[in-house]
Amino acid sequence: RSIPNKLGGVIALIMSIAILFILPILHVNKSQGLQFYPLNQMLFWYMVTIIILLTWIGARPVETPFILTGQILTMLYFSYYILNPMISKFWDKSLN
């Protein structure tokens, strides 16, 4: 509902599911847990908040303030998967 184009919505849906399957393959951190990555811990809770807000927006009617909020949250959702590996690599380099 956040993407006005039907094809764009289908692509975003497929990408949101595909990211969850691809992410474990791309995991190349030196440490397995997030306890050594404080910035990624904050990003994790940022992601949890975004998922909760996207769930809430999905239950709202398709009206003006909810459409824009959903679009912003959708962009933030996908940006998490770009920022998280970058910050992990930065943190690994800074620890060496």
Side-chain angles (χ1 to χ4, degrees), residues 25-75:
I25 297 169
L26 299 176
H27 181 75
V28 292
N29 295 345
K30 292 182 180 180
S31 178
Q32 292 295 322
L34 286 179
Q35 66 267 24
F36 301 114
Y37 300 99
L39 294 175
N40 291 65
Q41 288 176 356
M42 291 190 309
L43 271 178
F44 170 76
W45 291 109
Y46 159 83
M47 183 63 165
V48 169
T49 304
I50 288 175
I51 289 173
I52 291 170
L53 288 173
L54 278 171
T55 303
W56 176 74
I57 286 294
R60 301 291 107 201
V62 183
E63 294 177 352
T64 304
F66 302 125
I67 294 172
L68 181 61
T69 305
Q71 290 173 345
I72 292 170
L73 288 172
T74 301
M75 297 222 358

